[in-house]
Structures are given as structure tokens and as C-alpha cells.
Amino acid sequence: MILTVTLNTALDITYQVPRLRAHTSHRVTEVTERPGGKGLNVARVLAALGHPTVVTGFAGGVTGAVLRERLAELGGGVTDALVPIAGATRRTVGVVDSTSGDTTQLNEPGPLVTTPEWSAFLGAYAELLREASAVALCGSLPPGVPVGTYAQLIREAHAAGVPTLLDTSGEPLRRGIAARPDIVKPNADELAGLTGSTEPLRAARDARRRGARAVAASLGAKGMLAVTAEGAWRAAPPRRLAGNPTGAGDAAVAGLLSGLVEGAPWPDRLARAVALSAAAVRAPVAGEFDRGTYDELRGRIEITEDPAA
């Protein structure tokens, strides 16, 4: 199974409005409620691809209970191994403008995690690693969790012989990358914040020097860049797709992880990740992707090797 870690889970609420305008009231035409947080989104895409996945992290309070109920409603493919806490799981609210397709996102802070709750998670994580074929460490850290947490979890996974993918930002990324994760998946802004360089290839090479064994950087509508020990490649979709970009990066992570556990070569992993990311833009909520778009694009992703790397 593939293990995804989401320490700052969320109950994702998406509102559809005909047109979003500032300083006025809106009539909501549709509301959806889903278990959220980056790792949970990744897990749902992996399950749709046929990979059994276990999700862990924290869930608490009324919103945490609703999140777990929604997770159970998804059916097979995703197993709930979330650790209960006293604090209430946060909510995220996405407001989708149906006319333009643009999304405005409002993210609450996470709950405070106590020292006993953190110890309980570490024990659960060690047990889950015994059966994991890969682990994804995703998203922000809630209050009370040490900033070097991802570095610690990467080292524990490597000691258990489990490859890791890290998808976070800021200081948790900076510290986590020093623990030598197998793959780091930043977006262009996160990569620039880590390295100080706005040129993606140079920044990705710098990130590898800082410890990442491979860097797969999301470049938005331009696709994805991978810099690895075997070489460097860029992957781009054949056209730009309009829709909701929330969750597109998480779908890309699922593509990279599924390719990793299947032993696919890097160009194939990139093509899958970019096709899934584009297909996620066409889905109404994060954690889903449009199957028709994915099937159409997966054989049409343009892959170029970068000899300069």
C-alpha cells in the first residue's frame, strides 16, 4: 500500500456561485463537502488509479468527525488511519466563479497538537511504515508540531526501507530536504523560495544539491520539470485547460507516486503526473480528476530531455 501523511487535514467546502464579486452578497448554486488536505487528495487520486492507500495524520472535533464520515463514504481504496486529537480539524472554503472558472480559496489555521497526541502519531506512523511501499508527506504543519517534523519522518521511512515524497513549503521544506527525500515536489514559487533562484532548472539543480534525490517541480500551465540522477526532463500538456486548479498539484503527486511504486521510468512518471494534473483542473473539487481528459492527454504529453542538466 501507499501511505500518505496529512498532519493538517481539512474539511474542504466548495461553493459554486454564478459570478464572484467583491463587496456584495452571493447566492450559492451548489455546495460540496469533501475530506481534504493535500495527502487526502493524493490518496483519493491514487485509489482511483487502482493503488490501495492508507491516510494518516490528525482529525478532531466536529469537523474531524465529519471528515472521517466523508472519507468512509468514498468506499474502497482509501483506508482511514487518522489519529484522533482534541482540537477541531480546520475547514477550507473554495468559492468557484462559474462564469470564469476561477477559484478563491480561504484556509483556516490548524488545531493545536499536544505532545501526547504527537507521540501517538509517531507510534502509528512507525507501524504503518511496516506495510508501506512508499510514503507521501504533504502540506503544512499544524501548531504544536515541530518544524523539523518532515525531516524526522523521512529519516524514519528510509530506516524502514520506504521511499519518500515531500510536498510542502517554507521552513518545513528547507529542513525536510536535508533528510534526502527520494522526490521533492515543489511548485515554482516554493522552489524559488527555497533556493533564491527564479529559473526552474537552476533552482531544481540547487535543490538536489541541498539533499533531494530528485526534484519534480510544478510549472503551472507549462507542465512539470524533473531533475534526477538519471537526467532532466520537461513535460507539457498539449493545450491549456480552464477549470479549478485546486488539487492539480496533489493529482501530480499521485502520478509521481504511482509511477514510483510501479518502477516506471522518469519520462513516463512525468507524463502521468502532468496528464493527471490537467485532468484535475477539469474536476469540480480537489481529490478528483476527469477520467476522459486524463485518457485523452496521457499519450499526448510532450516530453523533452534537457541536456544542460
Side-chain angles (χ1 to χ4, degrees):
M1 61 86 171
I2 298 175
L3 176 64
T4 71
V5 175
T6 312
L7 297 174
N8 210 6
T9 57
L11 183 65
D12 284 349
I13 302 166
T14 303
Y15 294 140
Q16 293 274 350
V17 298
R19 185 184 295 273
L20 182 62
R21 296 176 177 173
H23 313 300
T24 186
S25 62
H26 296 78
R27 184 174 297 279
V28 176
T29 58
E30 183 180 349
V31 181
T32 56
E33 198 174 66
R34 295 287 189 276
K38 294 179 72 64
L40 271 70
N41 295 336
V42 171
R44 291 167 60 198
V45 175
L46 284 168
L49 294 173
H51 287 275
T53 307
V54 173
V55 297
T56 191
F58 297 109
V62 174
T63 49
V66 175
L67 182 152
R68 301 186 83 161
E69 289 173 6
R70 298 292 178 266
L71 192 58
E73 291 168 359
L74 297 176
V78 179
T79 299
D80 177 356
L82 295 168
V83 175
I85 59 173
T89 296
R90 67 191 178 120
R91 296 166 296 181
T92 65
V93 178
V95 183
V96 180
D97 184 317
S98 300
T99 301
S100 67
D102 292 337
T103 301
T104 299
Q105 194 75 15
L106 305 172
N107 297 329
E108 295 180 354
L112 176 67
V113 176
T114 67
T115 299
E117 290 166 346
W118 176 237
S119 297
F121 168 80
L122 289 176
Y125 179 71
E127 289 297 320
L128 290 167
L129 284 177
R130 297 175 183 271
E131 303 297 328
S133 56
V135 58
L137 304 164
C138 302
S140 60
L141 301 178
V145 173
V147 71
T149 283
Y150 284 136
Q152 177 183 358
L153 299 183
I154 290 166
R155 288 192 292 267
E156 291 188 18
H158 286 175
V162 180
T164 55
L165 184 151
L166 177 62
D167 183 13
T168 188
S169 60
E171 191 62 21
L173 172 60
R174 192 178 306 277
R175 297 200 186 192
I177 204 171
R180 297 187 57 77
D182 294 87
I183 304 172
V184 171
K185 206 291 296 174
N187 60 34
D189 289 341
E190 291 163 350
L191 190 58
L194 173 70
T195 66
S197 174
T198 58
E199 201 291 305
L201 179 59
R202 182 181 298 112
R205 294 172 68 181
D206 186 2
R208 285 202 69 232
R209 286 192 292 269
R210 292 168 184 259
R213 299 180 183 182
V215 178
S218 295
L219 305 178
K222 295 180 180 179
M224 182 170 281
L225 164 71
V227 178
T228 77
E230 294 80 27
W233 297 268
R234 295 177 189 259
R239 67 182 189 278
R240 186 185 185 114
L241 297 175
N244 180 7
T246 307
D250 302 332
V253 168
L256 294 170
L257 270 176
S258 60
L260 170 67
V261 299
E262 293 171 19
W266 264 104
D268 291 350
R269 298 186 202 180
L270 275 185
R272 184 183 305 184
V274 171
L276 281 169
S277 181
V281 170
R282 303 295 290 169
V285 294
E288 299 179 3
F289 64 96
D290 183 81
R291 178 69 69 169
T293 301
Y294 174 60
D295 292 340
E296 174 200 350
L297 292 181
R298 60 186 302 184
R300 299 179 57 204
I301 302 299
E302 180 182 354
I303 304 288
T304 56
E305 187 168 7
D306 197 325

